[in-house]
Amino acid sequence: MESLDLKWIRGQFPALNQKINGQPAIFFDGPGGTQVPGAVLDAISDYLVRSNANAHGAFATSARTDAVITAARVAIADFLGCSSDEVVFGANMTSLTFTLSRAIARTIKPGDEIIVTRLDHAANIAPWYALEEQGAIIRVVDLNVADCTLDMNDLEQQINSRTKLVAVSYASNAVGTINDVATIVRLAHAVGAWVFVDAVHYAPHAPINVHALDCDFLACSAYKFFAPHIGILYGKREHLQNLQPYKVKPASDEVPSRWETGTLNHEGLAGVVAAINYLTKLGCHVSPTIDNELIAALIDADKEGLEHFQCPRFLISEHPDAIASAYHSRRAALVAAMSAIQQYERELSHKLIAGLLEIPGLTLYGITDTTRFNWRTPTVAIRLEGKSPESIAKNLGDRGIFTWHGNFYALSLTEKLGLEASGGLLRVGLVHYNSLAEVLQLLQALKEIAAVAVT
């Protein structure tokens, strides 16, 4: 089944060597935050030792910090398929979404409509409800309970000439459903509305191309794709230029800096670059057509933190064509990596879901039809008859198997499913460093838990 070099991958993540109660730790908690490669730890430490300073100073460590910020913007631009001046950093996705909604509030007129969905994380709902203070009307798109998918007919009926913005998740962080964002963008743009995409859950699992998607904004969190706790916002350049964010007077009014309130988490950004470089290396592993020499040069340059990406092996700054080629190669490597991750995780999902459906008394929420697995991530939500999600999570945790329980801030979903009052869901989230052996161990543990009579 393996289409990835799992031994090499797992060797990059020191946390996977932990033991809990004598058992190897199994991390199925990825939707809440992934583990990080050792290179990320090294990059954070190296920044704090060699470059720890605030930005824009006339001395060496500050210049290195400027280079780290630049490198992080370029790396994320390659990851998302956009330009580096369309990348905004912040504390987390929630804070950035509130920052954006406050700026959009300045353009809202009474009667303007905002569309949200019952499938979304609260971070893509609450910031838009805040616009009711400006007279906005909030419309809510329902979901199909049978498979936890968005009711596209309801969405299409709700979009109209008064719609100002549609806020939708790329994928549900609770049940794994992938939404048809391309269609939603087309429908919204047909009436002149903007689309804000919450890609926090989607980003670790598949390639993203915001320019091809044509969304107006997209947010994600680096700690969900093997990096530190950094929030990321993509915005079309014209929106970032035309909207007016709240900022302190001395701060830069340049795009995208004026969207970044206060001092950034510079060591975290160094870790973001290292995480993108890890994924780039993974892309080189899975795609022999990638220009490894250019990739190596770019990664070396990032590591050295040099302003113009110079390095001894390949003096990129002296060759403009090579700069474009290097970035093109990194984007190609990232797409190759994320495509391979998507395929591997889909295969792992088949094994997981098939095994779960064989367990007596287990209910699985979300898409279970294998022919539709291209519309789900490898995140599954379940209930076991007679057992609370918290008790199952505790039992699994004692065995060294880490899962989440509750509503995962997808409160509208658990309420719609009628599960909120009884503890929500148990969530199992796979990422590409998980193995089939770990999945089989989870299934065996759940069978044993299910077989124990409720007392």
Side-chain angles (χ1 to χ4, degrees):
M1 183 189 73
E2 290 184 11
S3 55
L4 297 176
D5 183 351
L6 203 57
K7 182 178 180 180
W8 178 83
I9 289 169
R10 291 180 65 85
Q12 307 303 306
F13 291 85
L16 303 187
N17 296 321
Q18 293 184 61
K19 289 192 175 182
I20 304 295
N21 297 329
Q23 299 294 320
I26 298 177
F27 294 87
F28 289 141
D29 62 334
T34 53
Q35 302 308 305
V36 302
V40 171
L41 305 176
D42 294 341
I44 293 171
S45 176
D46 182 72
Y47 171 83
L48 291 171
V49 171
R50 295 183 62 251
S51 310
N52 191 16
N54 218 319
H56 314 314
F59 52 95
T61 51
S62 182
R64 291 178 193 145
T65 292
D66 291 339
V68 166
I69 297 170
T70 298
R73 287 202 206 282
V74 174
I76 291 300
D78 287 345
F79 184 67
L80 296 179
C82 63
S83 300
S84 60
D85 64 350
E86 296 177 310
V87 174
V88 177
F89 294 118
N92 47 60
M93 175 268 181
T94 306
S95 297
L96 285 170
T97 307
F98 270 108
T99 295
L100 180 64
S101 76
R102 290 185 71 203
I104 290 176
R106 290 172 149 174
T107 73
I108 290 293
K109 302 183 297 295
D112 285 347
E113 297 184 1
I114 308 289
I115 294 177
V116 299
T117 90
R118 294 194 191 281
L119 200 56
D120 272 72
H121 187 287
N124 201 22
I125 296 176
W128 309 115
Y129 266 100
L131 272 60
E132 286 184 317
E133 296 175 358
Q134 270 64 45
I137 298 169
I138 309 301
R139 304 291 187 191
V140 183
V141 176
D142 214 339
L143 58 89
N144 302 304
V145 171
D147 59 3
C148 296
T149 56
L150 205 58
D151 187 336
M152 291 295 288
N153 290 329
D154 185 31
L155 183 143
E156 189 165 0
Q157 290 174 9
Q158 301 231 34
I159 292 177
N160 61 71
S161 60
R162 296 182 301 278
T163 305
K164 177 77 173 183
L165 179 140
V166 178
V168 65
S169 59
Y170 214 142
S172 164
N173 73 308
V175 294
T177 304
I178 297 173
N179 290 317
D180 187 354
V181 176
T183 295
I184 294 170
V185 169
R186 177 177 55 79
L187 292 171
H189 285 178
V191 298
W194 294 340
V195 177
F196 178 94
V197 179
D198 170 6
V200 171
H201 183 67
Y202 186 83
H205 301 298
I208 296 175
N209 187 330
V210 290
H211 283 178
L213 196 61
D214 198 29
C215 59
D216 297 276
F217 307 96
L218 180 142
C220 56
S221 297
Y223 75 100
K224 300 296 178 74
F225 56 86
F226 325 110
H229 289 79
I230 298 286
I232 298 162
L233 172 67
Y234 155 78
K236 285 184 175 178
R237 186 182 294 106
E238 60 265 33
H239 298 331
L240 297 182
Q241 290 172 337
N242 294 333
L243 289 169
Q244 297 297 315
Y246 287 85
K247 59 179 281 296
V248 295
K249 187 175 181 179
S252 170
D253 201 37
E254 297 296 315
V255 169
S257 301
R258 67 181 180 140
W259 289 90
E260 295 167 339
T261 304
T263 301
L264 295 174
N265 178 357
H266 301 138
E267 62 270 31
L269 293 178
V272 167
V273 175
I276 295 299
N277 285 341
Y278 157 72
L279 290 169
T280 302
K281 290 179 180 179
L282 178 58
C284 292
H285 273 255
V286 301
S287 180
T289 63
I290 301 296
D291 190 331
N292 285 274
E293 180 67 17
L294 282 174
I295 291 296
L298 196 58
I299 290 175
D300 283 352
D302 285 343
K303 192 179 298 181
E304 292 299 319
L306 300 179
E307 184 176 0
H308 297 294
F309 300 108
Q310 297 182 26
C311 65
R313 294 176 57 195
F314 198 95
L315 206 57
I316 297 177
S317 66
E318 295 181 0
H319 302 277
D321 291 342
I323 296 174
S325 183
Y327 293 145
H328 177 77
S329 294
R330 180 161 68 179
R331 172 64 183 170
L334 289 167
V335 170
M338 299 312 298
S339 298
I341 284 172
Q342 184 179 36
Q343 180 60 34
Y344 172 73
E345 291 177 347
R346 190 170 295 163
E347 294 167 357
L348 213 55
S349 295
H350 279 268
K351 301 291 185 181
L352 173 63
I353 292 175
L356 289 172
L357 294 176
E358 293 177 354
I359 298 176
L362 185 145
T363 301
L364 193 152
Y365 297 85
I367 296 171
T368 58
D369 179 356
T370 57
T371 65
R372 297 171 59 212
F373 273 17
N374 58 318
W375 291 105
R376 67 145 41 251
T377 65
T379 296
V380 299
I382 63 171
R383 291 286 296 242
L384 269 177
E385 186 178 357
K387 296 175 173 61
S388 72
E390 182 177 9
S391 68
I392 303 169
K394 178 65 168 62
N395 193 317
L396 291 171
D398 291 344
R399 301 170 188 237
I401 304 173
F402 304 159
T403 60
W404 281 105
H405 69 279
N407 60 37
F408 328 115
Y409 285 71
L411 181 62
S412 295
L413 172 66
T414 54
E415 288 179 340
K416 179 70 176 183
L417 295 176
L419 302 173
E420 180 60 26
S422 58
L425 295 156
L426 181 83
R427 181 179 66 182
V428 178
L430 309 181
V431 293
H432 75 288
Y433 52 61
N434 291 126
S435 68
L436 177 58
E438 290 177 331
V439 168
L440 296 177
Q441 190 170 333
L442 168 70
L443 292 172
Q444 181 59 37
L446 287 173
K447 288 176 184 176
E448 293 171 4
I449 294 169
V452 176
V454 179
T455 58

